[in-house]
Amino acid sequence: MKVLVIGSGGREHAIVLSVSKSDKVDKIYCAPGNGGISEIAECVEINAMEFNKLADFAEENKIDLTIIGMDDPLVGGIVDVFEERGLRVFGPRKNAAIIEGSKSFSKDLMKKYNIPTCSYEVFHSPEEALIYLENQKFPIVIKADGLALGKGVLICQNLEEAEKAIGTLMLDKQFGDAGNTVVIEEFMTGREVSVLCYCDGTHVKPMTSAQDHKRALDGDKGLNTGGMGTFSPSPFYNDEVKAFCEEKIFQPTMDAMKAEGRDFVGILFVGLMLTEDGPKVLEYNARFGDPEAQVVLPRMKNDIIEVIDACIDGKLDKIDLQFEDNAAVCVVLASDGYPVNYEKGKVIKGLEKFKGKDDYYCFHAGTKKTAEGMVTNGGRVLGVTAKGRDLKEARANAYKATEWVTFDNKYMRNDIGKAIDEA
Ligand code: GLY
C-alpha cells in the first residue's frame, strides 16, 4: 500500500520510520517532510495547510492511507476535506480536534463529565480577566484558548506578571486570534506525565507513558519550547496511577466526546499532572506529541498500520497493543538561541554514525538536504534517541550519541531525564 504522512518535524520522522517497518507498505510519501525524512520517504513540496492540494496529490497518486501528524491541519479540518473526497485518513475530524484547538472547550468538557482537572475560569475580554485576577492566589496559569505553537501557556508568579500576560495574549495578540479568549486556571504541582492513546471513537488504547521537558534551559528554566527532550516510560506512572487514569480519564474522555457527537478517532494525547489529590488533566492534544513520539513509537511492538486501520474501522478492541519492556530517552539538539532567534544553514556532521545501530535513532526536526550536505533548518534540529534496558542506561546511551553529531551553534539541555534519579 501507499502511505502519505503530513508534517515536517521529528514526530513525523518517527511516524514515517514506524510506517516503513510495516510489511503492508510499499511506498511512503511525506508532505512537506525534511532532510532526514527524505532518506526513507519521498518528500512532496506541499504545505500541510493546503488541504485541497494534498487531497489532489492523494487522489492522483492513489494513496491508500494518509496520516496527519501536526495539530494545525487537524484543528483546521483536513480530515473532513479528505473524507468528503472519499480518501482514507487517520486523525480526528475538526469537530473532535477542537479538544486541542480550544482550551475552553476542553475545560468545559471535563467539568461537564467530571473528568479530574484543576479549577478554571474563561474570559473573553481583558477587562474582566484583570478584575478577576485581583483576588486570586499566585502562581496562576493563563492559557491562550487557541493553538499557539506550544507557547500560549504562561505561568504567572504575581499580579504584575499576570497583568502582563493578559496584555501579551489579549491586547498585543502575540498569538493572534488564539488569544481572543483566555483560560485562567489554578497552578497544579506534582509530576507531569504524557500518555498518548490510540482511539477509534469508542475504544481507547493507551500507549506507554512519557515525560517531556518543555523549558529551554537546564533546571526547567527559560522560555517554553516545543520540547527539549523526553523519556519513556515514566517511573511515576505506576499500576495504580495507570488504573485510575484508564477508568477516570481516558475512557470517560472518549465517552464524553461521543456523547457530544464528536467521536474522537486518532491519537489523544493526555497531559497529566500527578497531584497530591490524584492524577488530573493538564491539557489534551489531538495528535502524537513531539518529541514524545520519538520515545514511544520505537518501543511499540505492533505494526502501526494494523493499529491505525483498527482505529479507522472502529475495531481497536481487537488489537493487543504491546510495548517493549525497556526504556528510551530523546535529547533534542537545537540551534543556540531557540526558541527566539537562531541561525540556520549550518552543516551537520556525524549523522552516518547512527547507521546500522538498532537501538539508536537520529530523528530530524529542522534539517534540509543541500549540495553541501545536511544543514540545520530550524530551532529544533535533531532528536537523538536511544534505548536501554532501563531509563538510566537509555539516558547514558542517548547522551553518548549526542556527541556523534556536530554543527555550529549546537545546543542541548544536559539534564533530560533528571527526574529518573528521583523515582
Ligand atoms: N511535546 C509537547 C507537544 O507535543 O505538545
Side-chain angles (χ1 to χ4, degrees):
M1 66 189 277
K2 290 185 188 174
V3 176
L4 169 64
V5 176
I6 308 288
S8 59
R11 163 185 49 211
E12 286 74 28
H13 195 177
I15 295 171
V16 167
L17 185 68
S18 286
V19 169
S20 74
K21 300 209 152 83
S22 171
D23 293 339
K24 302 179 196 312
V25 175
D26 308 302
K27 171 89 188 165
I28 313 173
Y29 297 92
C30 186
N34 64 36
I37 293 174
S38 72
E39 298 193 335
I40 47 173
E42 187 174 326
C43 290
V44 184
E45 277 191 42
I46 307 177
N47 185 285
M49 296 307 284
E50 294 182 290
F51 302 166
N52 280 311
K53 271 197 191 170
L54 290 165
D56 290 344
F57 177 87
E59 249 169 38
E60 282 157 20
N61 291 278
K62 300 193 169 33
I63 300 294
D64 299 290
L65 170 67
T66 300
I67 303 170
I68 317 297
M70 296 168 71
D71 46 5
D72 281 304
L74 288 167
V75 171
I78 191 171
V79 169
D80 305 60
V81 171
F82 270 60
E83 284 185 350
E84 276 156 25
R85 293 177 59 168
L87 295 162
R88 192 166 168 86
V89 58
F90 181 59
R93 292 181 188 144
K94 186 175 183 173
N95 75 351
I98 192 174
I99 202 166
E100 171 165 7
S102 167
K103 304 273 182 283
S104 56
F105 169 86
S106 67
K107 294 298 286 191
D108 290 347
L109 185 87
M110 288 184 262
K111 191 178 195 177
K112 181 168 173 188
Y113 292 92
N114 287 320
I115 297 166
T117 189
C118 59
S119 58
Y120 72 100
E121 293 291 336
V122 176
F123 296 94
H124 304 288
S125 89
E127 293 78 18
E128 286 171 22
L130 290 169
I131 291 170
Y132 172 79
L133 283 166
E134 279 173 16
N135 296 311
Q136 297 310 307
K137 280 201 253 150
F138 293 90
I140 204 162
V141 182
I142 305 185
K143 293 180 172 174
D145 186 57
L147 294 182
L149 300 169
K151 296 172 197 159
V153 178
L154 304 168
I155 297 167
C156 306
Q157 300 298 335
N158 50 46
L159 183 59
E160 197 184 329
E161 284 185 20
E163 286 171 349
K164 198 167 154 212
I166 295 296
T168 305
L169 298 176
M170 301 190 93
L171 298 170
D172 303 345
K173 301 227 176 269
Q174 190 170 327
F175 302 109
D177 289 347
N180 287 351
T181 297
V182 295
V183 175
I184 302 184
E185 59 182 47
E186 180 196 342
F187 177 74
M188 290 193 275
T189 51
R191 296 279 175 195
E192 273 190 52
V193 179
S194 303
V195 181
L196 318 179
C197 307
Y198 288 101
C199 304
D200 72 358
T202 305
H203 311 100
V204 52
K205 294 260 173 179
M207 298 179 226
T208 183
S209 58
Q211 187 186 320
D212 190 11
H213 300 66
K214 291 228 171 68
R215 301 296 193 100
L217 308 177
D218 283 2
D220 291 325
K221 303 235 162 45
L223 294 172
N224 257 336
T225 69
M228 293 298 295
T230 37
F231 59 84
S232 171
S234 162
F236 307 102
Y237 190 72
N238 57 31
D239 288 347
E240 192 189 335
V241 174
K242 181 169 178 276
F244 179 93
C245 292
E246 290 183 5
E247 190 192 334
K248 305 278 187 207
I249 296 177
F250 306 151
Q251 191 61 49
T253 303
M254 201 59 3
D255 298 344
M257 291 298 276
K258 190 178 253 319
E260 294 292 310
R262 298 172 182 273
D263 296 28
F264 190 99
V265 178
I267 304 296
L268 181 70
F269 168 149
V270 188
L272 297 159
M273 182 68 89
L274 310 185
T275 74
E276 277 186 353
D277 303 328
K280 294 186 181 180
V281 177
L282 270 174
E283 62 171 8
Y284 293 115
N285 295 313
R287 33 86 195 167
F288 280 105
D290 186 349
E292 284 85 348
Q294 290 89 315
V295 286
V296 167
L297 287 177
R299 300 184 50 230
M300 188 170 90
K301 290 188 187 173
N302 305 68
D303 178 328
I304 192 169
I305 298 296
E306 274 176 21
V307 184
I308 288 177
D309 274 340
C311 290
I312 298 174
D313 297 334
K315 294 180 179 160
L316 191 55
D317 53 326
K318 306 282 184 297
I319 295 286
D320 178 16
L321 198 58
Q322 291 199 4
F323 287 82
E324 292 169 1
D325 184 19
N326 56 11
V329 170
C330 171
V331 180
V332 168
L333 304 187
S335 305
D336 198 11
Y338 171 73
V340 185
N341 291 316
Y342 48 85
E343 291 176 10
K344 299 182 193 174
K346 311 289 182 194
V347 175
I348 306 170
K349 298 204 178 109
L351 293 168
E352 70 287 350
K353 299 199 175 117
F354 287 84
K355 293 232 160 81
K357 294 196 179 74
D358 277 349
D359 288 343
Y360 293 84
Y361 308 82
C362 189
F363 294 114
H364 292 227
T367 67
K368 193 163 78 175
K369 244 184 188 168
T370 67
E372 293 167 80
M374 200 69 80
V375 301
T376 65
N377 194 38
R380 290 193 292 180
V381 177
L382 301 165
V384 171
T385 302
K387 289 190 205 169
R389 279 167 299 184
D390 57 24
L391 285 161
K392 285 187 179 165
E393 189 178 87
R395 180 176 59 184
N397 289 345
Y399 271 106
K400 180 179 67 186
T402 62
E403 291 167 17
W404 301 344
V405 187
T406 55
F407 54 88
D408 284 351
N409 80 348
K410 171 178 151 185
Y411 169 75
M412 66 182 174
R413 273 183 62 164
N414 294 295
D415 63 350
I416 300 300
K418 186 167 174 289
I420 296 165
D421 303 318
E422 294 151 18

